[in-house]
Amino acid sequence: MFGRVPKKSDNTKFYEVLGVPKSASQDELKKAYKKAAIKNHPDKGGDPEKFKELAHAYEVLSDPEKRDIYDQYGEDALKEGMGGGGSSHNPFDIFESFFGGGAFGGGGSSRGRRQKRGEDVVHALKVSLEELYNGTAKKLSLSRNAICSKCKGKGSKSGAFSRCYGCQGTGMKITTRQIGLGMIQQMQHVCPECRGSGEMISDRDRCPQCKGNKVTQEKKVLEVHIEKGMRGGQKITFEGQADEAPDTITGDIVFVLEQKKHPKFDRKFGDDLYVDHNLSLTEALCGFQFALTHLDGRQLLIKSNPGEVIKPGQYKAINDEGMPHHRRPFMKGKLVIQFHVIFPESGVFSPEQCRKIESILPMRPSKHLTDMELDDCEETTLHDVSAEEVKRRKERQHRHREAYDEDDDDDESAPRVQCAQQ
């Protein structure tokens, strides 16, 4: 083989990086690399530069041909192309060849773990029942962080940066303080010099567009399509539209629908609509008809059947006039109407009118008392009682009953005195 003999250069550095002698065997090299790589792995807070040096040193020394060239001529010979070239593999690939993708748990490759996922941005979107019934589209303007287009997220003009010496590239600083005799407290906080990035960019090299922040603010308009039949609590997701950051998988923007209270209609039990309607006593007894304005503006004619009597609190339903089924809008739930009968006030009818009403209405189910039976009765006076007062009385009785039962249990659990037999 003819050619220029390479100039000798340093051939001890790689051994010193791994902490082994030049006579180390392949097994000794492996053990030394494993121990040092785990200690300096960036995912465990180690030094990224040291981690790269370890990988490069082991890559050379673990290859017999490259090791022989390194021992004879040093690192410069490898850089000049001897031994298959001087370019090193990805340090994380070398690490994974020993430990696999799940070395520190969580599965996946080290590169996948290092590229963290950005946080999702969640917004509450208030919608009316009409919008959920008819479907609509809303255009919303949002502000987000976007990777700087000028420096491509590098933060510098040249694309270069140096490791922050304040935190040694970790982005975090640990401070200690003594809080008592023999007691030390450690606190971890974001490095104020690099603001958690672990990198430093010189003032002259800062990107003029993002000022070294790597991201810029941008306005983004999203068109949110609310489909017919959607309901409150449902989510509409725009994947990868949240804040961007370097070496980060962009999160999602999520809109959570929040249904506003409707003055007339109420959605219950899936896709059924409920509405209350008041009837006078005359309408309840003699029939009624009225127009109901639906959520899409249509006028529905609601009327009773001839001779039908509506009782207080009675429900009536109309099929296929409820909410549309989501993604099957031609199918709808029921429209349920609850009727409330409004009775006239006391004293509205004269005795003569009462006798006329009595002659029309069915016979009284109550028994007519004789004069003798009336003489044996004591007269009483009725007074009004509100439903709230009745409820309060029931609650008080319930509490008294529970307290009484607890007293009985205490008595049963207490030791009983027995007389000793003589």
Side-chain angles (χ1 to χ4, degrees), residues 281 284 309-315 338-343:
L281 181 58
V309 174
I310 301 298
K311 300 177 179 63
Q314 188 172 346
Y315 290 93
Q338 184 178 18
F339 293 99
H340 303 279
V341 180
I342 308 301
F343 282 77

Side-chain angles (χ1 to χ4, degrees), residues 392 394-405:
R392 285 196 298 269
K394 285 183 178 179
E395 289 175 350
R396 282 200 297 269
Q397 289 176 356
H398 182 67
R399 287 197 296 269
H400 288 320
R401 192 178 298 111
E402 284 183 341
Y404 182 77
D405 291 341

Side-chain angles (χ1 to χ4, degrees), residues 97-161:
S97 67
F98 280 92
F99 301 100
F104 297 134
S109 69
S110 293
R111 284 170 291 172
R113 284 196 309 274
R114 288 189 300 119
Q115 191 176 27
K116 64 180 181 180
R117 190 182 189 281
E119 293 185 0
D120 293 341
V121 178
V122 181
H123 296 282
L125 181 60
K126 292 188 177 183
V127 289
S128 65
L129 195 56
E130 285 88 350
E131 290 170 331
L132 294 173
Y133 184 90
N134 299 297
T136 187
K138 290 175 176 279
K139 287 187 177 181
L140 303 173
S141 178
L142 302 173
S143 179
R144 70 161 190 164
N145 290 334
I147 296 291
C148 178
S149 58
K150 191 172 185 66
C151 66
K152 309 300 181 186
K154 300 295 184 182
S156 61
K157 301 174 188 175
S158 63
F161 59 87

Side-chain angles (χ1 to χ4, degrees), residues 268-287:
K268 295 181 183 178
F269 312 119
D271 293 319
D272 291 343
L273 280 175
Y274 279 70
V275 63
D276 291 322
H277 185 77
N278 294 332
L279 294 176
S280 67
L281 181 58
T282 304
E283 289 176 313
L285 296 175
C286 305

